[in-house]
Amino acid sequence: MTKHSRPGGLTRRRLLGGLATTLTPAAALAGTASASPAAPDPYAALGADVVTEFRTAWDSYRRLAWGRDELRPLSGSGSDFFIPGGTLGLTIIEALDTLYLMELDSELSAAVDWVKNDLRLDQRAPVQVFEAIIRLVGGLLSGYAATKDSALLARAGELADRLLPAFQRSATGAPYRYVNLATGEVHGAEVPLAEVGTCIAEFGELSRLTGNRTYFDAAKKALRAVCERRSPLDLVGTTINVETGAWVGTTATLDPPVDSFYEYLWDGWTLFGDKDLRTWYDTLTAAVFERLADRRNGRLWFRQADMTTGRITGHAQSELTAFYAGLLAQSGRPADGERYHDAWTAALGTFRLPPEYLDYRAMRALNPAYPLRPEYVDSCLFLWLTTGKDLYRSRARELYARQKRYCKVARGYTVVDDVTASPMRLGDLTPGYWYSENMKYYYLLFAKASRFDYRNNYLSTEGNVLRGLK
Ligand code: DMJ
């Protein structure tokens, strides 16, 4: 979940080819690597390895679940993500730009053919608006960015039009949670902030590409509906009623179900230069640091508090929030981003894989699952790009090795139900985001991706490259 271009066309330093290092995993995690400038890039072989691993999983998906939303690698079957008994080809759409970056062109061509010929968007069933935007609209837009095939842009626009009633039928402008793709019927008035606010990158890009402002305006109105209802402490809660505008969940937190809400305020500013978004991001972030930041042993965590009184209510942290290290680095707080990444790296000293939720004071897993989440490596990529420190490639390499050790199965990779069990208890799913996020981040970190502009790019919360494909 990440972004890299700035308003006004400012660019970042190209950081590939930085100092090579020789690391043990322990040194990598502790950040004690020493540089040896003469050594060859030790990551080049890993880049090729990422493609090999991706191919194994992709071939399994093609053989056993082609056209279904996701692969179940243990049982060798497919599963539905959005519509029980229906499919929207989630994995195919999630993988489009990754296939392009990895130069798997015949696979990309088969995937594009499926989208053109077999993707049915007129299904008479409700879908979750947020997931459809970040995964499908975003995936189709990144496929368009990769191929310049106008059919993909048209499909993204068609889907967005089917989702728009969720925004347009709401009194506040914040979207309903579900919309029926065929009828436009909406339901689900109590909506978590991530679901309200994580749409301006995809909808704004669609507006830019089509010249139709409707999508950007809908997304901005949704963000406004939340930001203008912030508390006098400049905090927001977790959930809002989109019909009344009343807060339903009043805990201020960076964890789900809020997480990417903050991300898209910053992204909307960097992508489209909208000053309101920047002001809202700065205002809410100042309050986050005043009320939620919890500095311990040189590390940084983020606690929970009541949005109205500021009273501290919890010390939990979700793995999904690990993306925030990269966001902080990109939004002008690199030292805080590094301290937050150090905190998660410390968790990886306790756990072999990051648990879904932990009590960071006791370093105890509150939810021991590891659904192949990409957030830690997402931050590795953007901390590396922002700070130029090779440390973040080495941290990514360590997690990559652990994923291979614990999550690899004959047909690719699968989720872990309990990272604290020995041996770890596995589940049966390769999530769509594994193709869109994990493997893309590793590839960009390790390989010198010739089709990626490391200076000027934008990756969405779902890892979709909306800008920066060459
Ligand atoms: C992805 O779908 C996106 O990154 C989203 O913003 C939340 N996290 C999941 C993967 O963990």
Side-chain angles (χ1 to χ4, degrees), residues 93-109:
I93 294 173
E94 295 256 43
L96 290 170
D97 60 346
T98 311
L99 290 168
Y100 177 77
L101 284 167
M102 293 183 180
E103 304 185 30
L104 300 172
D105 291 342
S106 66
E107 298 305 322
L108 174 61
S109 157

Side-chain angles (χ1 to χ4, degrees), residues 1 130 134-135 259-260 320 373-375 433 437 461-462:
M1 44 205 67
F130 153 77
I134 66 167
R135 295 175 187 238
D259 50 354
S260 51
L320 282 115
R373 295 275 182 210
E375 286 77 14
Y433 54 74
E437 296 197 65
T461 192
E462 191 71 5

Side-chain angles (χ1 to χ4, degrees), residues 3-27:
K3 50 264 103 204
H4 215 53
S5 56
R6 295 173 182 179
L10 294 180
T11 57
R12 293 190 174 183
R13 285 174 298 149
R14 185 181 170 96
L15 296 164
L16 271 186
L19 295 183
T21 55
T22 309
L23 299 174
T24 61

Side-chain angles (χ1 to χ4, degrees), residues 4 38 48 50 88 135 137 201 231 272 281 295 315 322 428 462:
H4 215 53
V50 171
L88 289 164
R135 295 175 187 238
V137 176
S231 77
F272 311 114
Y281 178 81
R295 297 181 191 274
H315 299 85
D428 186 15
E462 191 71 5

Side-chain angles (χ1 to χ4, degrees), residues 348-369:
L348 285 172
T350 301
F351 302 98
R352 292 162 293 173
L353 291 168
E356 184 79 342
Y357 254 102
L358 53 79
D359 173 338
Y360 62 79
R361 292 187 304 181
M363 216 37 113
R364 185 169 56 86
L366 300 172
N367 175 348

